[in-house]
Amino acid sequence: MSERKAEWASQEGLSEKDPTKLFWKVVKLLREGNTKEAVELSKDNIYLFPHLAIKYLKPGGGIPLEPITQPTLAYLMLKLFTEVNCIECIKQLIREMPDKISLAVGLIRLMKETKKAVEIIKALLKDKDVTTEMLDVLSTMPDENLEPLLDEIMYIAKNEIDLKQHKALEILTEFVDSREVRKIFASFIDDWDPEVRRISIRALMRVEPDEELLERVKSALRDEDEKELKAMLRRIIRGKHGRSNKDSA
């Protein structure tokens, strides 16, 4: 090794291999289905791969050495990190990657291949370092891909506050037909946080209210101060079919 290369390797803690070329060689192996070989080749430098992946996944980032789309690259990296069980690598991708849609597409593909992907997502939702970013990724997924994760999303909605709670509730809006989810929204229509009230009331406007829900809405209406939310509560009382109700005034 030349003196310059030796100094570079010493300073960066790297092998003699060019990490960028190594990265793309691993990507190529993964695309070809040679997962075992890709894992073996990358294991000593796996900690470099999230940074390199993010570089090429960012808009205006580096020029790929292999013809590949961003969602496919995201999927291959998630697959690799899952294979080597590098949860910190996945966390770095989730936290720093601005294109959440590519990550969502990658995760959807991975969820179809292995149950381990679902377990990792559940763990990340419980990890306060990346809960918010993980919810951002999930918010771009189709409903059917979120169903295995509903328990974790409902837990966040019920137990967190501020942004995490808001994001979880927004995701749950698409599941308001579920009785369990509807109960969560009903419990929050008189919450102290006006954004929580707004999301919850808006979600409940999508369903036909039963008597129990009507009573909660009427009670919340008496205490609501915001004009917009009062109007939304009255619409729930009238019902989806425009029923009149003396208590809606």
Side-chain angles (χ1 to χ4, degrees):
M1 185 190 306
S2 69
E3 184 177 341
R4 183 179 179 182
K5 284 187 177 179
E7 181 181 358
W8 173 72
S10 174
Q11 288 177 352
E12 302 296 333
L14 302 174
S15 69
E16 293 182 41
K17 297 178 181 178
D18 182 327
T20 299
K21 290 181 179 178
L22 177 64
F23 174 83
W24 286 107
K25 185 173 182 180
V26 168
V27 169
K28 187 173 186 294
L29 288 169
L30 289 168
R31 289 190 70 182
E32 294 171 348
N34 297 322
T35 304
K36 187 175 181 180
E37 187 178 349
V39 167
E40 184 64 27
L41 190 61
S42 63
K43 64 181 182 180
D44 292 334
N45 293 285
I46 195 71
Y47 64 94
L48 293 173
F49 281 28
H51 170 74
L52 288 167
I54 291 164
K55 173 184 175 181
Y56 293 103
L57 287 167
K58 281 183 176 179
I63 299 173
L65 301 186
E66 290 282 330
I68 193 169
T69 64
Q70 289 188 333
T72 299
L73 180 57
Y75 157 71
L76 292 176
M77 286 298 100
L78 290 165
K79 180 180 178 69
L80 175 65
F81 298 149
T82 300
E83 287 285 338
V84 301
N85 202 36
C86 186
I87 304 303
E88 286 301 317
C89 294
I90 298 176
K91 284 175 62 174
Q92 188 175 346
L93 272 189
I94 300 296
R95 190 168 49 240
E96 299 180 20
M97 170 81 174
D99 181 6
K100 305 303 184 190
I101 294 177
S102 289
L103 286 175
V105 172
L107 282 171
I108 289 168
R109 288 182 63 179
L110 199 60
M111 289 167 71
K112 292 176 181 178
E113 294 177 6
T114 173
K115 293 180 179 179
K116 188 175 180 181
V118 175
E119 297 308 312
I120 288 174
I121 296 172
K122 289 180 177 181
L124 292 177
L125 283 170
K126 297 173 184 176
D127 189 325
K128 294 186 181 295
D129 288 343
V130 290
T131 301
T132 302
E133 292 82 2
M134 193 68 250
L135 289 169
D136 285 336
V137 174
L138 297 188
S139 70
T140 69
M141 287 186 177
D143 296 349
E144 60 265 26
N145 298 112
L146 297 175
E147 289 175 1
L149 308 166
L150 280 182
D151 286 345
E152 286 71 26
I153 298 170
M154 286 190 289
Y155 180 87
I156 294 168
K158 290 187 286 187
N159 293 281
E160 293 286 354
I161 61 171
D162 297 330
L163 190 58
K164 292 178 183 178
Q165 184 182 33
H166 300 167
K167 289 179 181 293
L169 286 171
E170 288 284 7
I171 293 172
L172 291 176
T173 297
E174 299 301 319
F175 298 90
V176 69
D177 286 333
S178 160
R179 182 171 180 80
E180 190 174 0
V181 172
R182 191 158 60 247
K183 285 174 64 177
I184 293 174
F185 285 123
S187 71
F188 284 138
I189 58 176
D190 56 358
D191 192 76
W192 64 271
D193 182 342
E195 184 61 19
V196 169
R197 299 202 305 276
R198 182 173 289 104
I199 296 169
S200 299
I201 295 169
R202 189 171 64 240
L204 292 171
M205 289 173 66
R206 301 171 63 164
V207 300
E208 191 72 33
D210 56 21
E211 289 303 316
E212 183 180 356
L213 177 56
L214 280 175
E215 289 305 313
R216 288 196 62 85
V217 171
K218 291 172 188 176
S219 175
L221 178 59
R222 288 191 287 269
D223 297 327
E224 182 56 63
D225 294 325
E226 293 199 18
K227 184 176 180 180
E228 177 193 6
L229 299 187
K230 287 175 76 75
M232 292 164 68
L233 288 167
R234 290 192 181 101
R235 286 180 62 185
I236 294 175
I237 293 172
R238 294 189 194 103
K240 290 166 67 177
H241 302 296
R243 294 192 310 272
S244 62
N245 190 302
K246 293 180 181 179
D247 295 313
S248 65

